[in-house]
């Protein structure tokens, strides 16, 4: 008996999540390849070649990138032809549970990097000595100030320091995280919508399927 909470069909929100991510962070070739796997649960490499009209080397590069980033999985099957000859074929599919976890991890990693850059930009040296090249932060400005001359002087060689333009905070550094969250909000919304989705095993690890358009084409041929 099937658990009523276990879905036997991939929700539209999960499919949209896969499309948004690959179109936002990868090239058009990757988006086209993933679209085929979104529409067809488990597809043979030769069928993808026929549909996409890529050369094999190009398709392998695209699939290896998506597989390396854990957006898709690959299964190899040994098949026997009518003449008794056996051949190996690669089948590709999306494990949506893995895809969701990967998307969460990658977005969190990107956000942490932006936050780190933001912190670094506010803690960098703001003053530099033109003689001994010592650098000082904004927090050390009170130690550099010379009340006799009204200038900021190096604590090592007493030369008047200069503002270090190369170490100035990045433009709009403080707004980077907010901008990132705003741009990624559609993906966050889909992640929240699919948070409690529980897919059946046969959906997560699907069996190969025939593509109707290709089957019809071969029958006509």
């Amino acid at each position: 008996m099937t658990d009523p909470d276990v879905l036997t069909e991939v929700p539209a929100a999960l499919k949209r999540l896969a499309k948004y991510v690959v179109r936002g962070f990868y090239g058009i070739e990757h988006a086209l390849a993933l679209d085929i796997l979104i529409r067809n649960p488990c597809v043979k490499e030769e069928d993808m070649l026929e549909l996409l009209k890529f050369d094999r080397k190009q398709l392998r590069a695209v699939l290896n990138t998506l597989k390396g980033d854990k957006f898709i999985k690959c299964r190899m099957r040994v098949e026997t032809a009518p003449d008794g000859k056996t051949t190996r074929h690669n089948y590709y599919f999306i494990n949506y549970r893995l895809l969701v976890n990967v998307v969460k991890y990658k977005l969190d990693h990107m956000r942490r990097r932006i936050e780190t850059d933001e912190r670094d930009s506010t803690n960098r040296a703001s003053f530099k000595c033109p003689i001994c090249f010592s650098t000082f932060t904004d927090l050390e400005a009170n130690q550099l100030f010379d009340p006799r001359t009204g200038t900021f002087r190096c604590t090592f060689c007493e030369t008047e320091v200069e503002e270090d333009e190369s170490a100035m905070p990045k433009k709009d550094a403080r707004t980077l995280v907010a901008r990132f969250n705003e741009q990624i909000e559609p993906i966050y919304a889909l992640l929240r919508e699919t948070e409690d989705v529980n897919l059946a095993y046969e959906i997560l690890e699907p069996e190969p399927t025939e593509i109707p358009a290709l089957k019809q084409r071969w029958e006509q041929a």
Side-chain angles (χ1 to χ4, degrees):
M1 187 173 177
T2 305
D3 188 331
D5 293 331
V6 175
L7 301 182
T8 55
E9 189 174 328
V10 179
L14 270 178
K15 294 181 178 181
R16 287 202 305 274
L17 175 66
K19 288 183 178 181
Y20 279 15
V21 172
V22 78
R23 288 175 183 173
F25 298 100
Y26 294 85
I28 184 65
E29 298 92 346
H30 302 81
L32 291 172
L34 200 75
D35 276 348
I36 289 177
L37 298 180
I38 290 171
R39 293 195 298 269
N40 306 279
C42 186
V43 185
K44 187 190 290 189
E45 185 176 307
E46 284 72 15
D47 289 352
M48 297 189 75
L49 279 171
E50 182 69 23
L51 289 169
L52 293 170
K53 304 301 181 186
F54 292 173
D55 62 62
R56 190 176 294 275
K57 185 177 180 181
Q58 180 186 14
L59 179 62
R60 283 272 175 90
V62 168
L63 294 174
N64 284 337
T65 297
L66 293 174
K67 187 173 69 170
D69 288 346
K70 295 182 171 59
F71 281 104
I72 64 174
K73 293 180 72 175
C74 178
R75 179 189 300 134
M76 190 192 72
R77 290 181 63 151
V78 177
E79 299 177 0
T80 304
D83 60 2
K85 185 179 179 181
T86 59
T87 53
R88 296 181 179 183
H89 296 279
N90 290 327
Y91 284 83
Y92 293 89
F93 61 95
I94 302 170
N95 182 306
Y96 284 92
R97 182 186 296 161
L98 179 62
L99 182 139
V100 166
N101 290 336
V102 168
V103 170
K104 287 179 179 178
Y105 170 79
K106 287 186 178 293
L107 291 182
D108 184 62
H109 184 66
M110 291 170 64
R111 182 179 56 78
R112 288 175 185 272
R113 283 188 60 183
I114 292 172
E115 288 176 345
T116 300
D117 288 346
E118 194 172 283
R119 283 196 302 270
D120 289 347
S121 69
T122 58
N123 293 330
R124 287 197 185 114
S126 298
F127 300 99
K128 186 176 183 178
C129 176
I131 302 300
C132 69
F133 304 110
S134 298
T135 56
F136 307 93
T137 66
D138 287 337
L139 299 176
E140 297 172 300
N142 62 330
Q143 302 172 22
L144 306 178
F145 184 69
D146 182 359
R148 293 172 302 165
T149 59
T151 58
F152 293 94
R153 295 190 170 275
C154 175
T155 55
F156 298 99
C157 65
E158 297 190 355
T159 304
E160 185 175 351
V161 297
E162 301 171 347
E163 194 169 13
D164 188 0
E165 294 182 1
S166 65
M168 290 291 285
K170 294 175 183 176
K171 185 179 180 181
D172 297 331
R174 295 178 186 276
T175 66
L176 287 177
V177 173
R179 193 181 309 161
F180 172 79
N181 288 334
E182 181 182 342
Q183 291 175 343
I184 303 298
E185 177 54 32
I187 296 178
Y188 283 145
L190 288 171
L191 285 172
R192 289 192 294 269
E193 188 177 342
T194 57
E195 184 69 35
D196 298 322
V197 168
N198 188 13
L199 295 175
Y201 177 81
E202 60 268 22
I203 299 298
L204 296 174
E205 299 286 334
E207 288 298 314
T209 52
E210 285 188 329
I211 299 175
L214 286 182
K215 183 180 180 183
Q216 184 179 5
R217 192 182 307 172
W218 288 330
E219 287 174 350
Q220 289 172 348

PDB file of all heavy atoms in Angstrom, residues 142-171:
ATOM      1  N   ASN A 142      42.956  57.147  15.331  1.00  0.00           N
ATOM      2  CA  ASN A 142      43.224  58.003  16.496  1.00  0.00           C
ATOM      3  C   ASN A 142      44.676  57.904  16.952  1.00  0.00           C
ATOM      4  O   ASN A 142      45.226  58.850  17.528  1.00  0.00           O
ATOM      5  CB  ASN A 142      42.271  57.650  17.641  1.00  0.00           C
ATOM      6  CG  ASN A 142      42.448  56.223  18.110  1.00  0.00           C
ATOM      7  OD1 ASN A 142      42.809  55.362  17.320  1.00  0.00           O
ATOM      8  ND2 ASN A 142      42.200  55.968  19.393  1.00  0.00           N
ATOM      9  N   GLN A 143      45.316  56.752  16.678  1.00  0.00           N
ATOM     10  CA  GLN A 143      46.720  56.590  17.049  1.00  0.00           C
ATOM     11  C   GLN A 143      47.646  57.351  16.078  1.00  0.00           C
ATOM     12  O   GLN A 143      48.765  57.682  16.419  1.00  0.00           O
ATOM     13  CB  GLN A 143      47.103  55.107  17.053  1.00  0.00           C
ATOM     14  CG  GLN A 143      46.259  54.259  18.006  1.00  0.00           C
ATOM     15  CD  GLN A 143      46.553  52.772  17.820  1.00  0.00           C
ATOM     16  OE1 GLN A 143      47.600  52.395  17.313  1.00  0.00           O
ATOM     17  NE2 GLN A 143      45.614  51.916  18.235  1.00  0.00           N
ATOM     18  N   LEU A 144      47.150  57.563  14.862  1.00  0.00           N
ATOM     19  CA  LEU A 144      47.973  58.233  13.846  1.00  0.00           C
ATOM     20  C   LEU A 144      47.894  59.749  13.931  1.00  0.00           C
ATOM     21  O   LEU A 144      48.798  60.444  13.447  1.00  0.00           O
ATOM     22  CB  LEU A 144      47.516  57.791  12.443  1.00  0.00           C
ATOM     23  CG  LEU A 144      47.461  56.282  12.155  1.00  0.00           C
ATOM     24  CD1 LEU A 144      46.947  56.039  10.739  1.00  0.00           C
ATOM     25  CD2 LEU A 144      48.843  55.654  12.319  1.00  0.00           C
ATOM     26  N   PHE A 145      46.844  60.255  14.536  1.00  0.00           N
ATOM     27  CA  PHE A 145      46.626  61.710  14.507  1.00  0.00           C
ATOM     28  C   PHE A 145      47.658  62.452  15.350  1.00  0.00           C
ATOM     29  O   PHE A 145      47.902  62.125  16.509  1.00  0.00           O
ATOM     30  CB  PHE A 145      45.218  62.030  15.018  1.00  0.00           C
ATOM     31  CG  PHE A 145      44.882  63.494  14.917  1.00  0.00           C
ATOM     32  CD1 PHE A 145      44.696  64.081  13.675  1.00  0.00           C
ATOM     33  CD2 PHE A 145      44.773  64.276  16.054  1.00  0.00           C
ATOM     34  CE1 PHE A 145      44.392  65.430  13.570  1.00  0.00           C
ATOM     35  CE2 PHE A 145      44.473  65.620  15.969  1.00  0.00           C
ATOM     36  CZ  PHE A 145      44.283  66.203  14.720  1.00  0.00           C
ATOM     37  N   ASP A 146      48.284  63.453  14.730  1.00  0.00           N
ATOM     38  CA  ASP A 146      49.278  64.297  15.406  1.00  0.00           C
ATOM     39  C   ASP A 146      48.638  65.647  15.678  1.00  0.00           C
ATOM     40  O   ASP A 146      48.439  66.449  14.756  1.00  0.00           O
ATOM     41  CB  ASP A 146      50.508  64.467  14.524  1.00  0.00           C
ATOM     42  CG  ASP A 146      51.597  65.292  15.191  1.00  0.00           C
ATOM     43  OD1 ASP A 146      51.386  65.754  16.330  1.00  0.00           O
ATOM     44  OD2 ASP A 146      52.655  65.484  14.565  1.00  0.00           O
ATOM     45  N   PRO A 147      48.297  65.958  16.938  1.00  0.00           N
ATOM     46  CA  PRO A 147      47.600  67.224  17.252  1.00  0.00           C
ATOM     47  C   PRO A 147      48.445  68.467  16.968  1.00  0.00           C
ATOM     48  O   PRO A 147      47.904  69.553  16.736  1.00  0.00           O
ATOM     49  CB  PRO A 147      47.300  67.090  18.752  1.00  0.00           C
ATOM     50  CG  PRO A 147      48.294  66.091  19.261  1.00  0.00           C
ATOM     51  CD  PRO A 147      48.536  65.145  18.137  1.00  0.00           C
ATOM     52  N   ARG A 148      49.778  68.322  16.945  1.00  0.00           N
ATOM     53  CA  ARG A 148      50.634  69.488  16.678  1.00  0.00           C
ATOM     54  C   ARG A 148      50.486  69.979  15.242  1.00  0.00           C
ATOM     55  O   ARG A 148      50.459  71.179  14.987  1.00  0.00           O
ATOM     56  CB  ARG A 148      52.097  69.138  16.943  1.00  0.00           C
ATOM     57  CG  ARG A 148      52.430  68.863  18.413  1.00  0.00           C
ATOM     58  CD  ARG A 148      53.844  68.349  18.539  1.00  0.00           C
ATOM     59  NE  ARG A 148      54.035  67.123  17.758  1.00  0.00           N
ATOM     60  CZ  ARG A 148      55.219  66.609  17.446  1.00  0.00           C
ATOM     61  NH1 ARG A 148      56.318  67.232  17.815  1.00  0.00           N
ATOM     62  NH2 ARG A 148      55.307  65.487  16.767  1.00  0.00           N
ATOM     63  N   THR A 149      50.401  69.026  14.322  1.00  0.00           N
ATOM     64  CA  THR A 149      50.333  69.408  12.906  1.00  0.00           C
ATOM     65  C   THR A 149      48.933  69.227  12.329  1.00  0.00           C
ATOM     66  O   THR A 149      48.652  69.696  11.218  1.00  0.00           O
ATOM     67  CB  THR A 149      51.303  68.549  12.077  1.00  0.00           C
ATOM     68  OG1 THR A 149      50.939  67.151  12.234  1.00  0.00           O
ATOM     69  CG2 THR A 149      52.730  68.740  12.570  1.00  0.00           C
ATOM     70  N   GLY A 150      48.086  68.523  13.082  1.00  0.00           N
ATOM     71  CA  GLY A 150      46.732  68.292  12.588  1.00  0.00           C
ATOM     72  C   GLY A 150      46.696  67.297  11.443  1.00  0.00           C
ATOM     73  O   GLY A 150      45.760  67.302  10.642  1.00  0.00           O
ATOM     74  N   THR A 151      47.708  66.418  11.380  1.00  0.00           N
ATOM     75  CA  THR A 151      47.778  65.430  10.297  1.00  0.00           C
ATOM     76  C   THR A 151      47.859  64.017  10.888  1.00  0.00           C
ATOM     77  O   THR A 151      48.109  63.848  12.077  1.00  0.00           O
ATOM     78  CB  THR A 151      49.009  65.670   9.406  1.00  0.00           C
ATOM     79  OG1 THR A 151      50.189  65.607  10.230  1.00  0.00           O
ATOM     80  CG2 THR A 151      48.929  67.019   8.722  1.00  0.00           C
ATOM     81  N   PHE A 152      47.677  63.042  10.004  1.00  0.00           N
ATOM     82  CA  PHE A 152      47.813  61.637  10.408  1.00  0.00           C
ATOM     83  C   PHE A 152      49.201  61.159  10.003  1.00  0.00           C
ATOM     84  O   PHE A 152      49.586  61.230   8.836  1.00  0.00           O
ATOM     85  CB  PHE A 152      46.739  60.780   9.721  1.00  0.00           C
ATOM     86  CG  PHE A 152      45.343  61.089  10.196  1.00  0.00           C
ATOM     87  CD1 PHE A 152      44.546  62.000   9.515  1.00  0.00           C
ATOM     88  CD2 PHE A 152      44.830  60.471  11.329  1.00  0.00           C
ATOM     89  CE1 PHE A 152      43.263  62.278   9.949  1.00  0.00           C
ATOM     90  CE2 PHE A 152      43.545  60.750  11.774  1.00  0.00           C
ATOM     91  CZ  PHE A 152      42.754  61.661  11.080  1.00  0.00           C
ATOM     92  N   ARG A 153      49.978  60.667  11.001  1.00  0.00           N
ATOM     93  CA  ARG A 153      51.368  60.296  10.737  1.00  0.00           C
ATOM     94  C   ARG A 153      51.619  58.830  11.102  1.00  0.00           C
ATOM     95  O   ARG A 153      51.039  58.304  12.043  1.00  0.00           O
ATOM     96  CB  ARG A 153      52.331  61.199  11.502  1.00  0.00           C
ATOM     97  CG  ARG A 153      52.256  62.647  11.035  1.00  0.00           C
ATOM     98  CD  ARG A 153      53.356  63.528  11.594  1.00  0.00           C
ATOM     99  NE  ARG A 153      53.350  64.826  10.920  1.00  0.00           N
ATOM    100  CZ  ARG A 153      53.959  65.070   9.773  1.00  0.00           C
ATOM    101  NH1 ARG A 153      54.662  64.114   9.183  1.00  0.00           N
ATOM    102  NH2 ARG A 153      53.895  66.280   9.213  1.00  0.00           N
ATOM    103  N   CYS A 154      52.531  58.232  10.338  1.00  0.00           N
ATOM    104  CA  CYS A 154      52.900  56.835  10.537  1.00  0.00           C
ATOM    105  C   CYS A 154      53.505  56.655  11.924  1.00  0.00           C
ATOM    106  O   CYS A 154      54.372  57.437  12.346  1.00  0.00           O
ATOM    107  CB  CYS A 154      53.891  56.407   9.454  1.00  0.00           C
ATOM    108  SG  CYS A 154      54.536  54.728   9.677  1.00  0.00           S
ATOM    109  N   THR A 155      53.073  55.611  12.631  1.00  0.00           N
ATOM    110  CA  THR A 155      53.578  55.371  13.978  1.00  0.00           C
ATOM    111  C   THR A 155      54.990  54.788  13.964  1.00  0.00           C
ATOM    112  O   THR A 155      55.634  54.705  15.004  1.00  0.00           O
ATOM    113  CB  THR A 155      52.649  54.383  14.723  1.00  0.00           C
ATOM    114  OG1 THR A 155      52.522  53.192  13.949  1.00  0.00           O
ATOM    115  CG2 THR A 155      51.275  54.989  14.943  1.00  0.00           C
ATOM    116  N   PHE A 156      55.489  54.397  12.772  1.00  0.00           N
ATOM    117  CA  PHE A 156      56.830  53.815  12.670  1.00  0.00           C
ATOM    118  C   PHE A 156      57.875  54.835  12.242  1.00  0.00           C
ATOM    119  O   PHE A 156      58.949  54.929  12.831  1.00  0.00           O
ATOM    120  CB  PHE A 156      56.818  52.632  11.688  1.00  0.00           C
ATOM    121  CG  PHE A 156      55.936  51.512  12.118  1.00  0.00           C
ATOM    122  CD1 PHE A 156      54.660  51.375  11.594  1.00  0.00           C
ATOM    123  CD2 PHE A 156      56.356  50.600  13.085  1.00  0.00           C
ATOM    124  CE1 PHE A 156      53.824  50.346  12.004  1.00  0.00           C
ATOM    125  CE2 PHE A 156      55.533  49.568  13.499  1.00  0.00           C
ATOM    126  CZ  PHE A 156      54.258  49.443  12.962  1.00  0.00           C
ATOM    127  N   CYS A 157      57.556  55.604  11.178  1.00  0.00           N
ATOM    128  CA  CYS A 157      58.566  56.547  10.684  1.00  0.00           C
ATOM    129  C   CYS A 157      58.105  57.999  10.742  1.00  0.00           C
ATOM    130  O   CYS A 157      58.818  58.895  10.301  1.00  0.00           O
ATOM    131  CB  CYS A 157      58.981  56.193   9.256  1.00  0.00           C
ATOM    132  SG  CYS A 157      57.645  56.365   8.058  1.00  0.00           S
ATOM    133  N   GLU A 158      56.886  58.228  11.245  1.00  0.00           N
ATOM    134  CA  GLU A 158      56.331  59.566  11.440  1.00  0.00           C
ATOM    135  C   GLU A 158      56.110  60.351  10.147  1.00  0.00           C
ATOM    136  O   GLU A 158      55.917  61.560  10.172  1.00  0.00           O
ATOM    137  CB  GLU A 158      57.217  60.384  12.403  1.00  0.00           C
ATOM    138  CG  GLU A 158      57.293  59.796  13.790  1.00  0.00           C
ATOM    139  CD  GLU A 158      57.965  60.729  14.781  1.00  0.00           C
ATOM    140  OE1 GLU A 158      58.447  61.791  14.359  1.00  0.00           O
ATOM    141  OE2 GLU A 158      57.988  60.380  15.969  1.00  0.00           O
ATOM    142  N   THR A 159      56.098  59.649   9.025  1.00  0.00           N
ATOM    143  CA  THR A 159      55.762  60.290   7.757  1.00  0.00           C
ATOM    144  C   THR A 159      54.245  60.438   7.676  1.00  0.00           C
ATOM    145  O   THR A 159      53.502  59.599   8.176  1.00  0.00           O
ATOM    146  CB  THR A 159      56.243  59.437   6.566  1.00  0.00           C
ATOM    147  OG1 THR A 159      57.638  59.211   6.710  1.00  0.00           O
ATOM    148  CG2 THR A 159      55.962  60.118   5.238  1.00  0.00           C
ATOM    149  N   GLU A 160      53.781  61.526   7.044  1.00  0.00           N
ATOM    150  CA  GLU A 160      52.340  61.714   6.901  1.00  0.00           C
ATOM    151  C   GLU A 160      51.771  60.611   6.003  1.00  0.00           C
ATOM    152  O   GLU A 160      52.277  60.358   4.911  1.00  0.00           O
ATOM    153  CB  GLU A 160      52.025  63.075   6.294  1.00  0.00           C
ATOM    154  CG  GLU A 160      50.532  63.365   6.247  1.00  0.00           C
ATOM    155  CD  GLU A 160      50.216  64.770   5.758  1.00  0.00           C
ATOM    156  OE1 GLU A 160      51.157  65.582   5.608  1.00  0.00           O
ATOM    157  OE2 GLU A 160      49.026  65.051   5.519  1.00  0.00           O
ATOM    158  N   VAL A 161      50.739  59.928   6.504  1.00  0.00           N
ATOM    159  CA  VAL A 161      50.167  58.815   5.744  1.00  0.00           C
ATOM    160  C   VAL A 161      49.191  59.327   4.687  1.00  0.00           C
ATOM    161  O   VAL A 161      48.700  60.464   4.767  1.00  0.00           O
ATOM    162  CB  VAL A 161      49.455  57.806   6.673  1.00  0.00           C
ATOM    163  CG1 VAL A 161      50.450  57.181   7.643  1.00  0.00           C
ATOM    164  CG2 VAL A 161      48.309  58.473   7.435  1.00  0.00           C
ATOM    165  N   GLU A 162      48.914  58.450   3.718  1.00  0.00           N
ATOM    166  CA  GLU A 162      47.981  58.789   2.646  1.00  0.00           C
ATOM    167  C   GLU A 162      46.802  57.818   2.695  1.00  0.00           C
ATOM    168  O   GLU A 162      46.926  56.697   3.191  1.00  0.00           O
ATOM    169  CB  GLU A 162      48.676  58.679   1.281  1.00  0.00           C
ATOM    170  CG  GLU A 162      49.885  59.596   1.145  1.00  0.00           C
ATOM    171  CD  GLU A 162      50.668  59.305  -0.133  1.00  0.00           C
ATOM    172  OE1 GLU A 162      50.411  58.242  -0.749  1.00  0.00           O
ATOM    173  OE2 GLU A 162      51.518  60.131  -0.496  1.00  0.00           O
ATOM    174  N   GLU A 163      45.683  58.279   2.157  1.00  0.00           N
ATOM    175  CA  GLU A 163      44.529  57.385   2.079  1.00  0.00           C
ATOM    176  C   GLU A 163      44.825  56.291   1.053  1.00  0.00           C
ATOM    177  O   GLU A 163      45.294  56.575  -0.047  1.00  0.00           O
ATOM    178  CB  GLU A 163      43.284  58.165   1.666  1.00  0.00           C
ATOM    179  CG  GLU A 163      42.004  57.392   1.882  1.00  0.00           C
ATOM    180  CD  GLU A 163      40.773  58.274   1.730  1.00  0.00           C
ATOM    181  OE1 GLU A 163      40.900  59.404   1.218  1.00  0.00           O
ATOM    182  OE2 GLU A 163      39.683  57.818   2.104  1.00  0.00           O
ATOM    183  N   ASP A 164      44.594  55.050   1.447  1.00  0.00           N
ATOM    184  CA  ASP A 164      44.898  53.910   0.569  1.00  0.00           C
ATOM    185  C   ASP A 164      43.686  53.618  -0.322  1.00  0.00           C
ATOM    186  O   ASP A 164      42.757  52.921   0.068  1.00  0.00           O
ATOM    187  CB  ASP A 164      45.249  52.685   1.426  1.00  0.00           C
ATOM    188  CG  ASP A 164      45.773  51.530   0.578  1.00  0.00           C
ATOM    189  OD1 ASP A 164      45.862  51.698  -0.653  1.00  0.00           O
ATOM    190  OD2 ASP A 164      46.092  50.471   1.153  1.00  0.00           O
ATOM    191  N   GLU A 165      43.711  54.156  -1.535  1.00  0.00           N
ATOM    192  CA  GLU A 165      42.565  54.020  -2.439  1.00  0.00           C
ATOM    193  C   GLU A 165      42.363  52.569  -2.887  1.00  0.00           C
ATOM    194  O   GLU A 165      41.239  52.127  -3.128  1.00  0.00           O
ATOM    195  CB  GLU A 165      42.750  54.916  -3.668  1.00  0.00           C
ATOM    196  CG  GLU A 165      42.738  56.403  -3.320  1.00  0.00           C
ATOM    197  CD  GLU A 165      42.865  57.271  -4.554  1.00  0.00           C
ATOM    198  OE1 GLU A 165      42.942  56.704  -5.666  1.00  0.00           O
ATOM    199  OE2 GLU A 165      42.877  58.508  -4.414  1.00  0.00           O
ATOM    200  N   SER A 166      43.467  51.825  -2.988  1.00  0.00           N
ATOM    201  CA  SER A 166      43.351  50.432  -3.451  1.00  0.00           C
ATOM    202  C   SER A 166      42.640  49.552  -2.439  1.00  0.00           C
ATOM    203  O   SER A 166      42.148  48.474  -2.770  1.00  0.00           O
ATOM    204  CB  SER A 166      44.738  49.851  -3.739  1.00  0.00           C
ATOM    205  OG  SER A 166      45.486  49.761  -2.537  1.00  0.00           O
ATOM    206  N   ALA A 167      42.598  50.008  -1.199  1.00  0.00           N
ATOM    207  CA  ALA A 167      41.973  49.193  -0.145  1.00  0.00           C
ATOM    208  C   ALA A 167      40.639  49.764   0.306  1.00  0.00           C
ATOM    209  O   ALA A 167      40.104  49.365   1.325  1.00  0.00           O
ATOM    210  CB  ALA A 167      42.911  49.096   1.058  1.00  0.00           C
ATOM    211  N   MET A 168      40.110  50.692  -0.494  1.00  0.00           N
ATOM    212  CA  MET A 168      38.811  51.253  -0.145  1.00  0.00           C
ATOM    213  C   MET A 168      37.743  50.170  -0.262  1.00  0.00           C
ATOM    214  O   MET A 168      37.860  49.268  -1.093  1.00  0.00           O
ATOM    215  CB  MET A 168      38.468  52.415  -1.083  1.00  0.00           C
ATOM    216  CG  MET A 168      39.340  53.647  -0.850  1.00  0.00           C
ATOM    217  SD  MET A 168      38.977  54.418   0.719  1.00  0.00           S
ATOM    218  CE  MET A 168      37.434  55.203   0.336  1.00  0.00           C
ATOM    219  N   PRO A 169      36.704  50.229   0.557  1.00  0.00           N
ATOM    220  CA  PRO A 169      35.633  49.220   0.461  1.00  0.00           C
ATOM    221  C   PRO A 169      35.049  49.175  -0.941  1.00  0.00           C
ATOM    222  O   PRO A 169      34.974  50.185  -1.626  1.00  0.00           O
ATOM    223  CB  PRO A 169      34.594  49.717   1.480  1.00  0.00           C
ATOM    224  CG  PRO A 169      35.379  50.539   2.446  1.00  0.00           C
ATOM    225  CD  PRO A 169      36.475  51.185   1.637  1.00  0.00           C
ATOM    226  N   LYS A 170      34.660  47.997  -1.371  1.00  0.00           N
ATOM    227  CA  LYS A 170      34.064  47.851  -2.686  1.00  0.00           C
ATOM    228  C   LYS A 170      32.773  48.662  -2.764  1.00  0.00           C
ATOM    229  O   LYS A 170      32.067  48.820  -1.791  1.00  0.00           O
ATOM    230  CB  LYS A 170      33.752  46.378  -2.964  1.00  0.00           C
ATOM    231  CG  LYS A 170      34.980  45.511  -3.069  1.00  0.00           C
ATOM    232  CD  LYS A 170      34.581  44.059  -3.233  1.00  0.00           C
ATOM    233  CE  LYS A 170      35.798  43.162  -3.269  1.00  0.00           C
ATOM    234  NZ  LYS A 170      35.411  41.735  -3.340  1.00  0.00           N
ATOM    235  N   LYS A 171      32.483  49.139  -3.957  1.00  0.00           N
ATOM    236  CA  LYS A 171      31.281  49.931  -4.163  1.00  0.00           C
ATOM    237  C   LYS A 171      30.052  49.107  -3.792  1.00  0.00           C
ATOM    238  O   LYS A 171      29.889  47.966  -4.222  1.00  0.00           O
ATOM    239  CB  LYS A 171      31.200  50.360  -5.629  1.00  0.00           C
ATOM    240  CG  LYS A 171      30.043  51.304  -5.925  1.00  0.00           C
ATOM    241  CD  LYS A 171      30.041  51.697  -7.379  1.00  0.00           C
ATOM    242  CE  LYS A 171      28.889  52.636  -7.677  1.00  0.00           C
ATOM    243  NZ  LYS A 171      28.856  53.018  -9.105  1.00  0.00           N
TER     244      LYS A 171
END
